[in-house]
Amino acid sequence: MPRMSARAAVVFLMGLVLLWVALPRLRPATDDAGAVRETETRLVQAALKGDAQALGGIVANDFFAIDANGNRETRTTILDRFRTGPWQVASFQQQDLEIHLYGETAVVTGVDRVQARDAAGRDRSGAYRFLHVFQKRGGQWWLIAGQGAHLPAP
């Protein structure tokens, strides 16, 4: 059986070390994108059900957002709204979902098309472009920031 030269052995071992270091860094990007997508789905489902408890497990304590009318929102204002009366949603469709990963941070953009009335009975139907920022903390993806914009009718 032929023997490997010392130089070839070193190169081979260096390749294995690089592979060992690189693989865990490459794999999470796919896993993280799926986890972020799943968290976004849970966020939408909780909002549609008016489930403030489920939202509390997704929205970070330091969350802030700017709503479609330019108002500042916090975790407290969001959760209080769902505790006092969620929207009545007739239809909901999320489109054009894009996930961009930046290490432990993810930016999700898309368009929500809704037919709904708020707790006061006002019509809130329309298309809304959104931006959600998630951060991985303790192995879980948390919603830390967001912004929404009402899109004009076509």
Side-chain angles (χ1 to χ4, degrees), residues 17-68:
V17 168
L18 287 173
L19 189 61
W20 179 75
V21 169
L23 277 179
R25 294 172 195 255
L26 296 174
R27 194 175 322 115
T30 302
D31 296 343
D32 283 345
V36 170
R37 183 179 304 276
E38 187 268 333
T39 304
E40 177 71 29
T41 299
R42 287 189 304 113
L43 175 70
V44 168
Q45 290 171 347
L48 290 173
K49 292 176 186 173
D51 188 343
Q53 184 174 355
L55 284 171
I58 299 168
V59 178
N61 289 335
D62 55 345
F63 168 83
F64 70 94
I66 306 301
D67 72 12

Side-chain angles (χ1 to χ4, degrees), residues 10 25 38 48 52 61 67-68 89 98 113 115 136 146 150 154:
V10 168
R25 294 172 195 255
E38 187 268 333
L48 290 173
N61 289 335
D67 72 12
V89 179
E98 292 185 18
R113 297 192 185 281
Q115 288 183 331
K136 195 173 190 181
H150 190 259

Side-chain angles (χ1 to χ4, degrees), residues 1-140:
M1 178 157 108
R3 297 189 71 207
M4 189 181 293
S5 73
R7 176 177 269 171
V10 168
V11 169
F12 177 74
L13 287 174
M14 286 177 56
L16 285 177
V17 168
L18 287 173
L19 189 61
W20 179 75
V21 169
L23 277 179
R25 294 172 195 255
L26 296 174
R27 194 175 322 115
T30 302
D31 296 343
D32 283 345
V36 170
R37 183 179 304 276
E38 187 268 333
T39 304
E40 177 71 29
T41 299
R42 287 189 304 113
L43 175 70
V44 168
Q45 290 171 347
L48 290 173
K49 292 176 186 173
D51 188 343
Q53 184 174 355
L55 284 171
I58 299 168
V59 178
N61 289 335
D62 55 345
F63 168 83
F64 70 94
I66 306 301
D67 72 12
N69 295 316
N71 301 311
R72 183 173 164 78
E73 299 273 5
T74 65
R75 173 188 165 95
T76 301
T77 60
I78 295 287
L79 296 181
D80 284 350
R81 182 176 313 118
F82 282 95
R83 286 186 190 108
T84 58
W87 287 15
Q88 300 302 313
V89 179
S91 70
F92 177 88
Q93 184 179 38
Q94 195 169 65
Q95 301 173 319
D96 304 328
L97 198 67
E98 292 185 18
I99 298 170
H100 303 272
L101 292 170
Y102 305 96
E104 301 289 299
T105 303
V107 176
V108 178
T109 61
V111 175
D112 291 338
R113 297 192 185 281
V114 285
Q115 288 183 331
R117 294 194 175 278
D118 65 17
R122 293 180 296 248
D123 186 17
R124 300 294 186 172
S125 299
Y128 298 86
R129 183 167 304 280
F130 69 88
L131 178 140
H132 290 157
V133 181
F134 292 89
Q135 187 175 57
K136 195 173 190 181
R137 298 176 178 175
Q140 178 181 336

